[in-house]
Amino acid sequence: MAFLQISEPGESPAPHQRKLAVGIDLGTTHSLVAAVRSSVPEVLPDAQGRVLLPSAVRYLADGDSQVGYEALQGQAADPLNTIVSAKRFMGRSAQDARASRAPYEFVDGPGMVRLRTVQGEKSPVEVAARILAELRERAEATLGDELVGAVITVPAYFDDAQRQATRDAARLAGLNVLRLLNEPTAAALAYGLDHGSEGIYAVYDLGGGTFDISILRLSKGVFEVAATAGDTALGGDDFDAAIVDAWVAEHAGLQDAIADPHAYRPLLRAARAARERLSQAPQTDYEASLPQGRRITGTLTRQAFEALAEPLVARTLACVNRTLRDAGLTPAQVKGVVMVGGATRMPVVQARVGELFGQAPLTDLDPDQVVALGAAAQANLLAGNRAPGEDWLLLDVLPLSLGLETMGGLVERIVPRNSTIPVARAQEFTTFKDGQSAMSIHVVQGERELVSDCRSLARFELRGIPPMVAGAARIRVTFQVDADGLLGVTAREQSTGVEASVTVKPSYGLSDEEVARMLADSVSQADSDARARMLREQQVQARQLVQSVQAALAADGDLLSEAERLRVDQALQAAAQAQDESDAERVRALVKALSDATEDFAARRMDRSIRAALSGRKLDELG
């Protein structure tokens, strides 16, 4: 297991030497910045005393932009230029973004999605950078000096592309990223340090756009993530959309509103406001003003909303159960459930989580602030501000397995999911053909046995391999995942030292369905995956044997009589057709038949080879 020491032991610096670092929760709906002041993490407010910054940016025609509350004031009149929930599009393609039904003009093209505004095309990275810059300025104004860096939190299930996009946004905002920290881990950090807790805790994190569940073991200052799961396309926004869908079905003439950003945005705002009020009241009136003087009103009860919310809550609980299985735990073994994210204020969420774990969730820390507070504690230590006696370790995990494509389209897992990070794993591979001088390296992510069922992350080639017989070369492939969950892969030919590497930077992240589906599919498809793998392995073996026999016949076919050659050719032809077979046992039988048919031939070739080697040698030279 790889352990991460948060910082080097040492005395806390004098106040005038203290290095200023902050923790930032870059949220889908709201963002926050926090810092350790007088040894206590606290969220930093703006000039009006508000700690939450709405994650909204409005681009104006004059080239200026507005952030936060000011941006939200214009979103009804200017929905296409007021970008909210941009975090949901980080590291995603235009096709993924359109599936979210967000009311924007998405621009097609390679790589990450871009949104069309009056200031031209803007990427989610640029939107996030504007929000991060606002938080940086707030922190520097409050703390009175420049920052040495920041710890920025991300959903545990953010993939490599989404993490890279977050880093890029921070760099655009002028921030030095000390660490990307998983949001549930940050929350557990804040809760554990604040309460001195020990034991097994679950962190249920339901924000505006993403859901994560992590199981952590807290013991004497060690924070170890045992397992994690989640859905990067499930959050409060989806509950709001469910309410809007119900209103469209209830009110005549609203079908067109779904496709009109000027109508859909007011409906979403009204739905969110109604949902938030229902956390305190059994029912609420709602009202939304639409274009052309249209207006809808009505009453939404908590009971009706909870019926709409139930499928979404059930999706989160399926992730919870899977994570408990991964950790080898039952709900009864969990000492406490920490609730994170504003969406966890919904009574239906708290009730269903409480039912699953058999205990009331822990809600004594503000679910909107707890992630930023944990990030601030981490940032403070990474900046070197360790207080006397302050000593703790943070052990996070990788959410999905990483591996390589091998012959036959099979996946060879190198780093299994839930491996503690940072981590480095290596494995040796070899060549498939005689004289092979290059090898294609295909890096994949996922839990299935076949490459076609996993996520492709990167491809690169190792060239300059010395020509050898198949299987003689030794290619060592090393995977290194850093503390931010970012991946680098290196391939090295051992005899010559020739090397190639890649830092994995896919053009966009997992689609809405892929993250939630990957682990579920690995369970439901386990039997068929095992059969498919067995078939592919037998087909690869058949292909290797066929090529070897063909080469041997070309070199020493004269060693066979006409009848023997006919028998070998028949077995060879049958084995060559194994690629078209769908029965692994049938392929195995064809391989065995070819092996049996060539057994004597192989022995004669060996005799000829020995005689050739000894030809002309004197007896004393063999002693």
Side-chain angles (χ1 to χ4, degrees), residues 469-491:
V469 296
R474 293 168 54 229
I475 315 298
R476 186 173 181 82
V477 180
T478 303
F479 279 56
Q480 290 184 301
V481 183
D482 66 17
D484 296 330
L486 303 178
L487 170 65
V489 182
T490 301

Side-chain angles (χ1 to χ4, degrees), residues 138-214:
R138 176 190 296 188
E140 289 176 346
T142 303
L143 300 175
D145 203 350
E146 292 186 0
L147 306 177
V148 299
V151 168
I152 301 177
T153 62
V154 293
Y157 248 55
F158 254 25
D159 71 356
D160 206 75
Q162 293 163 307
R163 291 170 188 268
Q164 291 283 8
T166 304
R167 268 192 170 276
D168 292 341
R171 187 165 59 250
L172 285 175
L175 285 166
N176 172 38
V177 179
L178 300 173
R179 179 73 44 80
L180 294 181
L181 182 63
N182 288 342
E183 290 166 2
T185 309
L189 195 58
Y191 188 88
L193 291 177
D194 187 65
H195 293 69
S197 304
E198 293 195 359
I200 297 170
Y201 283 81
V203 181
Y204 181 101
D205 183 355
L206 184 62
T210 59
F211 169 71
D212 286 304
I213 175 70
S214 291

Side-chain angles (χ1 to χ4, degrees), residues 185-324:
T185 309
L189 195 58
Y191 188 88
L193 291 177
D194 187 65
H195 293 69
S197 304
E198 293 195 359
I200 297 170
Y201 283 81
V203 181
Y204 181 101
D205 183 355
L206 184 62
T210 59
F211 169 71
D212 286 304
I213 175 70
S214 291
I215 308 297
L216 295 97
R217 292 184 175 92
L218 280 59
S219 175
K220 298 179 180 178
V222 176
F223 297 77
E224 180 182 6
V225 181
T228 191
D231 191 330
T232 60
L234 176 59
D237 289 352
D238 299 284
F239 290 83
D240 300 336
I243 295 174
V244 172
D245 288 344
W247 288 348
V248 169
E250 179 183 345
H251 296 273
L254 277 187
Q255 285 294 338
D256 293 342
I258 297 294
D260 180 3
H262 291 83
Y264 193 55
R265 181 66 67 81
L267 288 173
L268 284 175
R269 290 182 63 192
R272 175 172 296 173
R275 172 171 63 87
E276 291 173 350
R277 290 194 297 269
L278 287 176
S279 293
Q280 306 297 327
Q283 68 178 45
T284 184
D285 295 330
Y286 62 85
E287 176 182 345
S289 298
L290 309 180
Q292 300 175 341
R294 299 167 68 192
R295 181 169 164 269
I296 67 163
T297 61
T299 299
L300 181 64
T301 66
R302 181 184 290 177
Q303 183 177 9
F305 166 67
E306 292 183 351
L308 298 173
E310 177 57 31
L312 298 173
V313 178
R315 280 172 59 184
T316 72
L317 299 182
C319 286
V320 173
N321 284 318
R322 184 171 66 243
T323 311
L324 287 170

